[in-house]
Amino acid sequence: QVQLVESGGGLVQPGGSLRLSCAASGFRMNSYAIAWFRQAPGQEREGVSCITGRAGSTYYEDSVRGRFTISKDNGQNIVYLQMNSLRPEDAGVYYCACGPLETVVGGYLNPHEYPYWGQGTQVTVSS
């Protein structure tokens, strides 16, 4: 069955960096859209970044573009989210999600398009 396990969260000072990992199993990564979402307390879950298909096309939410980089290692079945120049507003629980490419049609950063989710990893940005 599809399984996603996130890791790499933690406490970092503003301006610092973290790399999140999403270990994927139970599906072929090249046939899926795999995305990162985040949710801060009291706020809705929002899309951060997505990587799709064999070519690895990438998509970013405006506030993270240029600071975050999504990538994948097909051999290891891991998707990474490198986060640089972190800001306090980047804090929250970060979730990895995936869905078959043919079903993710309503927007790659729309959480409602994704049927499979990991358990999340906490990111705290504070001095």
Side-chain angles (χ1 to χ4, degrees):
Q1 69 277 22
V2 173
Q3 193 169 20
L4 302 167
V5 180
E6 303 96 331
S7 61
L11 171 64
V12 63
Q13 292 186 343
S17 297
L18 280 175
R19 189 177 77 161
L20 305 183
S21 299
C22 173
S25 61
F27 65 100
R28 294 182 61 184
M29 290 178 61
N30 286 345
S31 299
Y32 275 62
I34 305 170
W36 286 96
F37 294 83
R38 66 187 178 193
Q39 189 166 21
Q43 297 189 18
E44 293 186 356
R45 193 167 297 188
E46 66 171 350
V48 175
S49 184
C50 176
I51 190 164
T52 66
R54 183 180 301 275
S57 299
T58 57
Y59 305 84
Y60 296 95
E61 191 269 331
D62 287 345
S63 72
V64 308
R65 188 175 292 112
R67 300 188 296 123
F68 290 12
T69 303
I70 191 170
S71 62
K72 63 177 179 172
D73 183 333
N74 287 325
Q76 297 292 324
N77 284 349
I78 299 176
V79 175
Y80 300 101
L81 184 68
Q82 178 66 44
M83 306 188 295
N84 299 329
S85 302
L86 281 161
R87 306 167 181 169
E89 56 264 37
D90 293 319
V93 179
Y94 279 69
Y95 297 92
C96 181
C98 72
L101 279 172
E102 62 268 23
T103 67
V104 182
V105 297
Y108 289 122
L109 298 183
N110 182 348
H112 301 292
E113 297 294 309
Y114 291 85
Y116 304 108
W117 292 81
Q119 83 289 348
T121 185
Q122 177 72 48
V123 172
T124 303
V125 184
S126 175
S127 55

Short mmCIF file of all heavy atoms in Angstrom, two decimals, residues 37-108:
data_model
loop_
_atom_site.label_atom_id
_atom_site.label_comp_id
_atom_site.label_asym_id
_atom_site.label_seq_id
_atom_site.Cartn_x
_atom_site.Cartn_y
_atom_site.Cartn_z
N PHE A 37 2.98 19.99 1.80
CA PHE A 37 2.02 20.95 2.32
C PHE A 37 2.46 21.33 3.72
O PHE A 37 3.25 20.64 4.36
CB PHE A 37 0.63 20.33 2.36
CG PHE A 37 0.06 20.04 1.00
CD1 PHE A 37 0.39 18.87 0.34
CD2 PHE A 37 -0.79 20.94 0.38
CE1 PHE A 37 -0.12 18.61 -0.93
CE2 PHE A 37 -1.31 20.69 -0.87
CZ PHE A 37 -0.97 19.52 -1.53
N ARG A 38 1.92 22.43 4.22
CA ARG A 38 2.20 22.81 5.60
C ARG A 38 0.93 23.36 6.23
O ARG A 38 0.04 23.88 5.54
CB ARG A 38 3.32 23.84 5.69
CG ARG A 38 3.00 25.19 5.06
CD ARG A 38 4.23 26.07 5.05
NE ARG A 38 3.97 27.36 4.42
CZ ARG A 38 4.90 28.23 4.06
NH1 ARG A 38 6.19 27.93 4.28
NH2 ARG A 38 4.59 29.37 3.50
N GLN A 39 0.89 23.23 7.55
CA GLN A 39 -0.26 23.73 8.28
C GLN A 39 0.20 24.33 9.60
O GLN A 39 0.82 23.64 10.41
CB GLN A 39 -1.27 22.61 8.54
CG GLN A 39 -2.58 23.07 9.11
CD GLN A 39 -3.64 21.99 9.04
OE1 GLN A 39 -3.36 20.81 8.93
NE2 GLN A 39 -4.90 22.41 9.10
N ALA A 40 -0.10 25.60 9.77
CA ALA A 40 0.18 26.28 11.03
C ALA A 40 -1.05 26.20 11.91
O ALA A 40 -2.17 26.03 11.41
CB ALA A 40 0.56 27.73 10.75
N PRO A 41 -0.88 26.33 13.23
CA PRO A 41 -2.03 26.25 14.14
C PRO A 41 -3.12 27.25 13.76
O PRO A 41 -2.84 28.43 13.53
CB PRO A 41 -1.41 26.57 15.50
CG PRO A 41 0.00 26.17 15.37
CD PRO A 41 0.38 26.48 13.96
N GLY A 42 -4.34 26.76 13.65
CA GLY A 42 -5.47 27.61 13.35
C GLY A 42 -5.60 28.01 11.90
O GLY A 42 -6.49 28.81 11.56
N GLN A 43 -4.75 27.48 11.07
CA GLN A 43 -4.79 27.85 9.65
C GLN A 43 -5.06 26.62 8.79
O GLN A 43 -4.88 25.49 9.22
CB GLN A 43 -3.46 28.51 9.23
CG GLN A 43 -3.18 29.81 9.95
CD GLN A 43 -1.99 30.55 9.38
OE1 GLN A 43 -1.56 30.30 8.26
NE2 GLN A 43 -1.47 31.50 10.14
N GLU A 44 -5.49 26.88 7.57
CA GLU A 44 -5.73 25.79 6.64
C GLU A 44 -4.42 25.24 6.11
O GLU A 44 -3.41 25.92 6.09
CB GLU A 44 -6.60 26.29 5.49
CG GLU A 44 -8.02 26.67 5.88
CD GLU A 44 -8.88 27.01 4.70
OE1 GLU A 44 -8.37 27.03 3.57
OE2 GLU A 44 -10.08 27.25 4.90
N ARG A 45 -4.49 24.00 5.70
CA ARG A 45 -3.32 23.37 5.07
C ARG A 45 -3.08 24.02 3.71
O ARG A 45 -4.02 24.20 2.93
CB ARG A 45 -3.56 21.88 4.92
CG ARG A 45 -2.34 21.07 4.58
CD ARG A 45 -2.63 19.59 4.77
NE ARG A 45 -2.95 19.26 6.15
CZ ARG A 45 -3.08 18.00 6.58
NH1 ARG A 45 -2.93 16.99 5.73
NH2 ARG A 45 -3.39 17.76 7.84
N GLU A 46 -1.83 24.40 3.45
CA GLU A 46 -1.52 25.05 2.19
C GLU A 46 -0.41 24.32 1.44
O GLU A 46 0.49 23.74 2.04
CB GLU A 46 -1.10 26.51 2.42
CG GLU A 46 0.19 26.69 3.17
CD GLU A 46 0.67 28.14 3.19
OE1 GLU A 46 0.10 28.97 2.46
OE2 GLU A 46 1.64 28.43 3.92
N GLY A 47 -0.51 24.38 0.12
CA GLY A 47 0.51 23.76 -0.70
C GLY A 47 1.79 24.57 -0.73
O GLY A 47 1.74 25.79 -0.81
N VAL A 48 2.90 23.88 -0.66
CA VAL A 48 4.22 24.51 -0.65
C VAL A 48 4.94 24.25 -1.97
O VAL A 48 5.42 25.18 -2.62
CB VAL A 48 5.06 24.02 0.52
CG1 VAL A 48 6.47 24.58 0.46
CG2 VAL A 48 4.40 24.37 1.85
N SER A 49 4.99 22.99 -2.36
CA SER A 49 5.74 22.63 -3.56
C SER A 49 5.31 21.25 -4.03
O SER A 49 4.81 20.45 -3.24
CB SER A 49 7.25 22.64 -3.27
OG SER A 49 7.99 22.39 -4.44
N CYS A 50 5.52 20.99 -5.32
CA CYS A 50 5.14 19.72 -5.91
C CYS A 50 6.16 19.34 -6.97
O CYS A 50 6.74 20.20 -7.64
CB CYS A 50 3.75 19.82 -6.52
SG CYS A 50 3.20 18.35 -7.39
N ILE A 51 6.35 18.02 -7.13
CA ILE A 51 7.19 17.50 -8.21
C ILE A 51 6.42 16.38 -8.88
O ILE A 51 5.76 15.57 -8.22
CB ILE A 51 8.57 17.03 -7.66
CG1 ILE A 51 9.53 16.72 -8.81
CG2 ILE A 51 8.43 15.87 -6.70
CD1 ILE A 51 10.99 16.62 -8.35
N THR A 52 6.47 16.35 -10.22
CA THR A 52 5.61 15.42 -10.93
C THR A 52 6.36 14.64 -12.00
O THR A 52 7.26 15.16 -12.66
CB THR A 52 4.46 16.16 -11.65
OG1 THR A 52 4.99 16.99 -12.69
CG2 THR A 52 3.68 17.02 -10.67
N GLY A 53 5.93 13.40 -12.15
CA GLY A 53 6.30 12.59 -13.30
C GLY A 53 7.77 12.29 -13.45
O GLY A 53 8.61 12.60 -12.61
N ARG A 54 8.06 11.68 -14.58
CA ARG A 54 9.42 11.24 -14.87
C ARG A 54 10.35 12.44 -15.04
O ARG A 54 11.49 12.42 -14.59
CB ARG A 54 9.43 10.40 -16.14
CG ARG A 54 10.79 9.84 -16.51
CD ARG A 54 10.70 9.03 -17.79
NE ARG A 54 9.76 7.93 -17.67
CZ ARG A 54 10.08 6.76 -17.17
NH1 ARG A 54 11.31 6.53 -16.74
NH2 ARG A 54 9.17 5.80 -17.08
N ALA A 55 9.83 13.49 -15.67
CA ALA A 55 10.67 14.67 -15.92
C ALA A 55 10.91 15.50 -14.67
O ALA A 55 11.80 16.34 -14.64
CB ALA A 55 10.04 15.54 -17.00
N GLY A 56 10.13 15.27 -13.65
CA GLY A 56 10.32 16.00 -12.40
C GLY A 56 9.99 17.47 -12.51
O GLY A 56 10.71 18.31 -11.97
N SER A 57 8.89 17.80 -13.18
CA SER A 57 8.45 19.19 -13.22
C SER A 57 8.14 19.66 -11.81
O SER A 57 7.59 18.91 -11.00
CB SER A 57 7.21 19.33 -14.10
OG SER A 57 7.49 18.94 -15.42
N THR A 58 8.49 20.91 -11.52
CA THR A 58 8.34 21.41 -10.16
C THR A 58 7.43 22.63 -10.12
O THR A 58 7.34 23.40 -11.09
CB THR A 58 9.70 21.76 -9.54
OG1 THR A 58 10.36 22.73 -10.38
CG2 THR A 58 10.58 20.53 -9.43
N TYR A 59 6.78 22.79 -8.98
CA TYR A 59 5.84 23.88 -8.76
C TYR A 59 6.04 24.39 -7.34
O TYR A 59 6.32 23.60 -6.43
CB TYR A 59 4.40 23.39 -8.94
CG TYR A 59 4.17 22.73 -10.28
CD1 TYR A 59 4.48 21.39 -10.46
CD2 TYR A 59 3.66 23.45 -11.36
CE1 TYR A 59 4.30 20.78 -11.69
CE2 TYR A 59 3.47 22.84 -12.59
CZ TYR A 59 3.80 21.50 -12.75
OH TYR A 59 3.62 20.91 -13.97
N TYR A 60 5.90 25.72 -7.18
CA TYR A 60 6.13 26.33 -5.87
C TYR A 60 5.05 27.36 -5.56
O TYR A 60 4.58 28.09 -6.45
CB TYR A 60 7.49 27.02 -5.84
CG TYR A 60 8.66 26.08 -5.99
CD1 TYR A 60 9.24 25.86 -7.23
CD2 TYR A 60 9.18 25.41 -4.88
CE1 TYR A 60 10.31 24.99 -7.37
CE2 TYR A 60 10.25 24.54 -5.01
CZ TYR A 60 10.81 24.33 -6.26
OH TYR A 60 11.87 23.46 -6.40
N GLU A 61 4.73 27.43 -4.29
CA GLU A 61 3.89 28.51 -3.80
C GLU A 61 4.72 29.79 -3.85
O GLU A 61 5.94 29.75 -3.65
CB GLU A 61 3.41 28.17 -2.39
CG GLU A 61 2.33 29.07 -1.83
CD GLU A 61 2.89 30.24 -1.07
OE1 GLU A 61 4.00 30.11 -0.51
OE2 GLU A 61 2.23 31.30 -1.05
N ASP A 62 4.08 30.91 -4.12
CA ASP A 62 4.81 32.15 -4.38
C ASP A 62 5.76 32.54 -3.24
O ASP A 62 6.87 33.02 -3.48
CB ASP A 62 3.83 33.30 -4.63
CG ASP A 62 3.17 33.20 -5.99
OD1 ASP A 62 3.66 32.43 -6.84
OD2 ASP A 62 2.15 33.89 -6.19
N SER A 63 5.35 32.36 -2.00
CA SER A 63 6.17 32.85 -0.89
C SER A 63 7.44 32.04 -0.67
O SER A 63 8.34 32.50 0.04
CB SER A 63 5.34 32.89 0.39
OG SER A 63 5.10 31.58 0.88
N VAL A 64 7.51 30.84 -1.26
CA VAL A 64 8.70 30.00 -1.04
C VAL A 64 9.58 29.91 -2.28
O VAL A 64 10.70 29.41 -2.20
CB VAL A 64 8.32 28.57 -0.58
CG1 VAL A 64 7.38 28.63 0.61
CG2 VAL A 64 7.72 27.75 -1.71
N ARG A 65 9.06 30.39 -3.41
CA ARG A 65 9.83 30.29 -4.63
C ARG A 65 11.14 31.05 -4.50
O ARG A 65 11.17 32.18 -4.05
CB ARG A 65 9.03 30.83 -5.82
CG ARG A 65 9.69 30.58 -7.18
CD ARG A 65 8.80 31.02 -8.32
NE ARG A 65 7.62 30.17 -8.44
CZ ARG A 65 6.38 30.60 -8.20
NH1 ARG A 65 6.17 31.84 -7.84
NH2 ARG A 65 5.35 29.78 -8.34
N GLY A 66 12.24 30.41 -4.86
CA GLY A 66 13.57 31.00 -4.72
C GLY A 66 14.24 30.66 -3.41
O GLY A 66 15.45 30.85 -3.27
N ARG A 67 13.47 30.19 -2.44
CA ARG A 67 14.04 29.81 -1.14
C ARG A 67 13.98 28.29 -0.91
O ARG A 67 14.87 27.73 -0.28
CB ARG A 67 13.28 30.51 0.00
CG ARG A 67 13.32 32.02 -0.07
CD ARG A 67 12.70 32.62 1.21
NE ARG A 67 11.29 32.31 1.35
CZ ARG A 67 10.76 31.69 2.41
NH1 ARG A 67 11.54 31.32 3.42
NH2 ARG A 67 9.45 31.45 2.47
N PHE A 68 12.94 27.67 -1.42
CA PHE A 68 12.76 26.22 -1.24
C PHE A 68 13.04 25.52 -2.57
O PHE A 68 12.74 26.07 -3.64
CB PHE A 68 11.33 25.90 -0.82
CG PHE A 68 10.96 26.33 0.57
CD1 PHE A 68 11.76 27.18 1.33
CD2 PHE A 68 9.77 25.87 1.14
CE1 PHE A 68 11.40 27.58 2.61
CE2 PHE A 68 9.40 26.25 2.41
CZ PHE A 68 10.20 27.11 3.15
N THR A 69 13.56 24.30 -2.47
CA THR A 69 13.79 23.48 -3.66
C THR A 69 13.30 22.07 -3.41
O THR A 69 13.70 21.45 -2.42
CB THR A 69 15.28 23.44 -4.02
OG1 THR A 69 15.77 24.77 -4.23
CG2 THR A 69 15.50 22.64 -5.29
N ILE A 70 12.45 21.58 -4.30
CA ILE A 70 11.96 20.20 -4.20
C ILE A 70 12.74 19.35 -5.19
O ILE A 70 13.06 19.81 -6.30
CB ILE A 70 10.44 20.13 -4.46
CG1 ILE A 70 9.88 18.76 -4.11
CG2 ILE A 70 10.10 20.50 -5.91
CD1 ILE A 70 8.35 18.68 -4.10
N SER A 71 13.05 18.14 -4.77
CA SER A 71 13.77 17.22 -5.65
C SER A 71 13.40 15.79 -5.26
O SER A 71 12.79 15.57 -4.22
CB SER A 71 15.28 17.44 -5.55
OG SER A 71 15.74 17.17 -4.24
N LYS A 72 13.78 14.85 -6.11
CA LYS A 72 13.49 13.46 -5.79
C LYS A 72 14.63 12.57 -6.22
O LYS A 72 15.35 12.86 -7.18
CB LYS A 72 12.17 13.00 -6.41
CG LYS A 72 12.14 13.01 -7.93
CD LYS A 72 10.81 12.46 -8.43
CE LYS A 72 10.75 12.49 -9.95
NZ LYS A 72 9.54 11.78 -10.47
N ASP A 73 14.78 11.49 -5.51
CA ASP A 73 15.75 10.44 -5.82
C ASP A 73 14.95 9.19 -6.13
O ASP A 73 14.46 8.52 -5.22
CB ASP A 73 16.68 10.24 -4.62
CG ASP A 73 17.76 9.21 -4.89
OD1 ASP A 73 17.56 8.30 -5.72
OD2 ASP A 73 18.82 9.31 -4.26
N ASN A 74 14.79 8.91 -7.41
CA ASN A 74 13.96 7.77 -7.81
C ASN A 74 14.56 6.44 -7.33
O ASN A 74 13.82 5.51 -7.02
CB ASN A 74 13.78 7.74 -9.32
CG ASN A 74 12.83 8.82 -9.80
OD1 ASN A 74 11.86 9.16 -9.13
ND2 ASN A 74 13.11 9.37 -10.97
N GLY A 75 15.87 6.37 -7.27
CA GLY A 75 16.50 5.14 -6.84
C GLY A 75 16.23 4.82 -5.38
O GLY A 75 16.04 3.66 -5.00
N GLN A 76 16.19 5.88 -4.57
CA GLN A 76 15.96 5.70 -3.13
C GLN A 76 14.49 5.91 -2.76
O GLN A 76 14.13 5.70 -1.60
CB GLN A 76 16.82 6.70 -2.34
CG GLN A 76 18.32 6.51 -2.50
CD GLN A 76 18.79 5.22 -1.88
OE1 GLN A 76 18.29 4.80 -0.83
NE2 GLN A 76 19.74 4.56 -2.52
N ASN A 77 13.67 6.33 -3.73
CA ASN A 77 12.26 6.61 -3.47
C ASN A 77 12.09 7.65 -2.36
O ASN A 77 11.32 7.45 -1.40
CB ASN A 77 11.50 5.33 -3.10
CG ASN A 77 11.21 4.47 -4.31
OD1 ASN A 77 11.40 4.90 -5.45
ND2 ASN A 77 10.78 3.26 -4.08
N ILE A 78 12.81 8.74 -2.48
CA ILE A 78 12.73 9.82 -1.50
C ILE A 78 12.50 11.14 -2.23
O ILE A 78 13.11 11.40 -3.27
CB ILE A 78 14.02 9.91 -0.66
CG1 ILE A 78 14.24 8.61 0.11
CG2 ILE A 78 13.94 11.08 0.31
CD1 ILE A 78 15.56 8.58 0.89
N VAL A 79 11.66 11.95 -1.67
CA VAL A 79 11.45 13.31 -2.13
C VAL A 79 11.96 14.25 -1.05
O VAL A 79 11.67 14.06 0.14
CB VAL A 79 9.97 13.58 -2.43
CG1 VAL A 79 9.75 15.05 -2.78
CG2 VAL A 79 9.49 12.70 -3.57
N TYR A 80 12.72 15.23 -1.47
CA TYR A 80 13.32 16.18 -0.53
C TYR A 80 12.70 17.56 -0.69
O TYR A 80 12.26 17.94 -1.78
CB TYR A 80 14.83 16.30 -0.77
CG TYR A 80 15.60 15.03 -0.61
CD1 TYR A 80 15.99 14.28 -1.71
CD2 TYR A 80 15.92 14.56 0.66
CE1 TYR A 80 16.71 13.10 -1.57
CE2 TYR A 80 16.64 13.38 0.82
CZ TYR A 80 17.03 12.66 -0.31
OH TYR A 80 17.74 11.50 -0.15
N LEU A 81 12.72 18.30 0.38
CA LEU A 81 12.38 19.72 0.33
C LEU A 81 13.49 20.47 1.06
O LEU A 81 13.58 20.41 2.29
CB LEU A 81 11.02 20.01 0.98
CG LEU A 81 10.57 21.46 0.86
CD1 LEU A 81 10.25 21.81 -0.61
CD2 LEU A 81 9.35 21.73 1.74
N GLN A 82 14.35 21.11 0.29
CA GLN A 82 15.41 21.94 0.87
C GLN A 82 14.84 23.32 1.13
O GLN A 82 14.36 23.98 0.21
CB GLN A 82 16.59 22.02 -0.10
CG GLN A 82 17.72 22.91 0.38
CD GLN A 82 18.42 22.35 1.61
OE1 GLN A 82 18.70 21.16 1.69
NE2 GLN A 82 18.69 23.22 2.58
N MET A 83 14.90 23.74 2.37
CA MET A 83 14.32 25.02 2.77
C MET A 83 15.42 25.93 3.27
O MET A 83 16.09 25.62 4.27
CB MET A 83 13.27 24.81 3.86
CG MET A 83 12.19 23.79 3.48
SD MET A 83 10.84 23.71 4.67
CE MET A 83 11.69 23.08 6.11
N ASN A 84 15.65 27.02 2.57
CA ASN A 84 16.66 28.01 2.94
C ASN A 84 16.01 29.33 3.31
O ASN A 84 14.84 29.56 2.99
CB ASN A 84 17.64 28.21 1.77
CG ASN A 84 18.38 26.95 1.40
OD1 ASN A 84 18.66 26.09 2.24
ND2 ASN A 84 18.70 26.81 0.12
N SER A 85 16.77 30.18 3.97
CA SER A 85 16.29 31.51 4.36
C SER A 85 14.94 31.43 5.05
O SER A 85 14.00 32.17 4.73
CB SER A 85 16.19 32.42 3.11
OG SER A 85 17.44 32.52 2.46
N LEU A 86 14.84 30.53 6.01
CA LEU A 86 13.56 30.29 6.67
C LEU A 86 13.09 31.51 7.45
O LEU A 86 13.90 32.23 8.05
CB LEU A 86 13.67 29.07 7.57
CG LEU A 86 13.59 27.74 6.81
CD1 LEU A 86 14.15 26.60 7.65
CD2 LEU A 86 12.14 27.45 6.41
N ARG A 87 11.80 31.69 7.45
CA ARG A 87 11.13 32.80 8.13
C ARG A 87 10.20 32.24 9.19
O ARG A 87 9.73 31.10 9.07
CB ARG A 87 10.34 33.62 7.12
CG ARG A 87 11.13 34.11 5.93
CD ARG A 87 10.20 34.64 4.85
NE ARG A 87 10.93 35.11 3.67
CZ ARG A 87 10.35 35.42 2.51
NH1 ARG A 87 9.03 35.31 2.38
NH2 ARG A 87 11.09 35.84 1.49
N PRO A 88 9.87 33.04 10.20
CA PRO A 88 8.91 32.56 11.21
C PRO A 88 7.59 32.10 10.60
O PRO A 88 6.99 31.14 11.10
CB PRO A 88 8.73 33.78 12.11
CG PRO A 88 10.02 34.53 11.99
CD PRO A 88 10.46 34.34 10.57
N GLU A 89 7.15 32.74 9.53
CA GLU A 89 5.89 32.35 8.90
C GLU A 89 5.97 31.03 8.14
O GLU A 89 4.94 30.52 7.68
CB GLU A 89 5.38 33.46 7.97
CG GLU A 89 6.36 33.88 6.90
CD GLU A 89 7.17 35.11 7.28
OE1 GLU A 89 7.54 35.24 8.48
OE2 GLU A 89 7.45 35.92 6.37
N ASP A 90 7.16 30.46 8.01
CA ASP A 90 7.30 29.14 7.39
C ASP A 90 7.02 28.01 8.39
O ASP A 90 6.94 26.84 8.00
CB ASP A 90 8.71 28.94 6.84
CG ASP A 90 9.03 29.85 5.67
OD1 ASP A 90 8.14 30.04 4.81
OD2 ASP A 90 10.16 30.38 5.63
N ALA A 91 6.88 28.34 9.65
CA ALA A 91 6.69 27.32 10.68
C ALA A 91 5.35 26.61 10.52
O ALA A 91 4.37 27.19 10.05
CB ALA A 91 6.78 27.96 12.06
N GLY A 92 5.34 25.36 10.95
CA GLY A 92 4.12 24.56 10.90
C GLY A 92 4.45 23.09 10.79
O GLY A 92 5.63 22.71 10.81
N VAL A 93 3.42 22.29 10.67
CA VAL A 93 3.62 20.87 10.40
C VAL A 93 3.66 20.69 8.89
O VAL A 93 2.76 21.14 8.18
CB VAL A 93 2.49 20.02 11.01
CG1 VAL A 93 2.72 18.53 10.69
CG2 VAL A 93 2.41 20.23 12.52
N TYR A 94 4.71 20.07 8.43
CA TYR A 94 4.90 19.83 6.99
C TYR A 94 4.52 18.39 6.67
O TYR A 94 4.99 17.46 7.32
CB TYR A 94 6.35 20.11 6.59
CG TYR A 94 6.64 21.57 6.40
CD1 TYR A 94 6.64 22.45 7.49
CD2 TYR A 94 6.87 22.10 5.13
CE1 TYR A 94 6.88 23.80 7.32
CE2 TYR A 94 7.12 23.46 4.95
CZ TYR A 94 7.12 24.30 6.04
OH TYR A 94 7.35 25.64 5.88
N TYR A 95 3.67 18.27 5.67
CA TYR A 95 3.17 16.97 5.26
C TYR A 95 3.60 16.67 3.82
O TYR A 95 3.60 17.56 2.96
CB TYR A 95 1.64 16.94 5.29
CG TYR A 95 1.04 17.14 6.65
CD1 TYR A 95 0.69 18.42 7.09
CD2 TYR A 95 0.79 16.06 7.49
CE1 TYR A 95 0.12 18.60 8.34
CE2 TYR A 95 0.21 16.24 8.74
CZ TYR A 95 -0.11 17.51 9.16
OH TYR A 95 -0.68 17.70 10.40
N CYS A 96 3.90 15.43 3.59
CA CYS A 96 4.13 14.92 2.25
C CYS A 96 2.86 14.22 1.78
O CYS A 96 2.20 13.52 2.57
CB CYS A 96 5.30 13.92 2.28
SG CYS A 96 5.76 13.20 0.71
N ALA A 97 2.50 14.43 0.53
CA ALA A 97 1.29 13.82 -0.02
C ALA A 97 1.55 13.38 -1.45
O ALA A 97 2.42 13.93 -2.13
CB ALA A 97 0.12 14.80 0.02
N CYS A 98 0.76 12.41 -1.90
CA CYS A 98 0.93 11.97 -3.29
C CYS A 98 -0.40 11.54 -3.89
O CYS A 98 -1.36 11.22 -3.17
CB CYS A 98 1.95 10.84 -3.40
SG CYS A 98 1.40 9.24 -2.77
N GLY A 99 -0.44 11.57 -5.21
CA GLY A 99 -1.63 11.12 -5.93
C GLY A 99 -1.25 10.78 -7.36
O GLY A 99 -0.31 11.37 -7.90
N PRO A 100 -1.97 9.85 -7.98
CA PRO A 100 -1.69 9.52 -9.38
C PRO A 100 -1.83 10.74 -10.27
O PRO A 100 -2.76 11.54 -10.11
CB PRO A 100 -2.76 8.46 -9.71
CG PRO A 100 -3.17 7.91 -8.39
CD PRO A 100 -3.07 9.04 -7.43
N LEU A 101 -0.92 10.89 -11.21
CA LEU A 101 -0.92 12.07 -12.08
C LEU A 101 -2.25 12.28 -12.76
O LEU A 101 -2.72 13.42 -12.91
CB LEU A 101 0.19 11.95 -13.12
CG LEU A 101 1.60 12.31 -12.67
CD1 LEU A 101 2.60 11.97 -13.75
CD2 LEU A 101 1.69 13.78 -12.30
N GLU A 102 -2.89 11.20 -13.18
CA GLU A 102 -4.12 11.35 -13.95
C GLU A 102 -5.30 11.82 -13.10
O GLU A 102 -6.32 12.23 -13.63
CB GLU A 102 -4.49 10.03 -14.65
CG GLU A 102 -4.76 8.87 -13.71
CD GLU A 102 -3.52 8.05 -13.42
OE1 GLU A 102 -2.39 8.56 -13.56
OE2 GLU A 102 -3.69 6.86 -13.06
N THR A 103 -5.14 11.79 -11.78
CA THR A 103 -6.22 12.23 -10.91
C THR A 103 -5.97 13.59 -10.28
O THR A 103 -6.89 14.21 -9.74
CB THR A 103 -6.48 11.21 -9.79
OG1 THR A 103 -5.36 11.18 -8.92
CG2 THR A 103 -6.74 9.82 -10.36
N VAL A 104 -4.72 14.06 -10.30
CA VAL A 104 -4.41 15.37 -9.72
C VAL A 104 -4.63 16.41 -10.81
O VAL A 104 -3.70 16.86 -11.47
CB VAL A 104 -2.97 15.40 -9.18
CG1 VAL A 104 -2.68 16.76 -8.54
CG2 VAL A 104 -2.77 14.30 -8.15
N VAL A 105 -5.87 16.80 -11.00
CA VAL A 105 -6.21 17.69 -12.11
C VAL A 105 -6.67 19.06 -11.67
O VAL A 105 -6.81 19.97 -12.48
CB VAL A 105 -7.29 17.03 -13.01
CG1 VAL A 105 -6.76 15.77 -13.64
CG2 VAL A 105 -8.55 16.74 -12.21
N GLY A 106 -6.91 19.22 -10.38
CA GLY A 106 -7.44 20.48 -9.87
C GLY A 106 -6.41 21.42 -9.32
O GLY A 106 -6.74 22.39 -8.64
N GLY A 107 -5.12 21.14 -9.61
CA GLY A 107 -4.06 22.00 -9.11
C GLY A 107 -3.08 21.21 -8.27
O GLY A 107 -3.47 20.54 -7.32
N TYR A 108 -1.81 21.31 -8.62
CA TYR A 108 -0.80 20.51 -7.93
C TYR A 108 -0.58 20.93 -6.49
O TYR A 108 -0.02 20.17 -5.71
CB TYR A 108 0.53 20.58 -8.70
CG TYR A 108 0.50 19.84 -10.01
CD1 TYR A 108 0.79 20.49 -11.20
CD2 TYR A 108 0.19 18.49 -10.05
CE1 TYR A 108 0.76 19.80 -12.41
CE2 TYR A 108 0.16 17.79 -11.26
CZ TYR A 108 0.46 18.47 -12.42
OH TYR A 108 0.43 17.79 -13.61
#
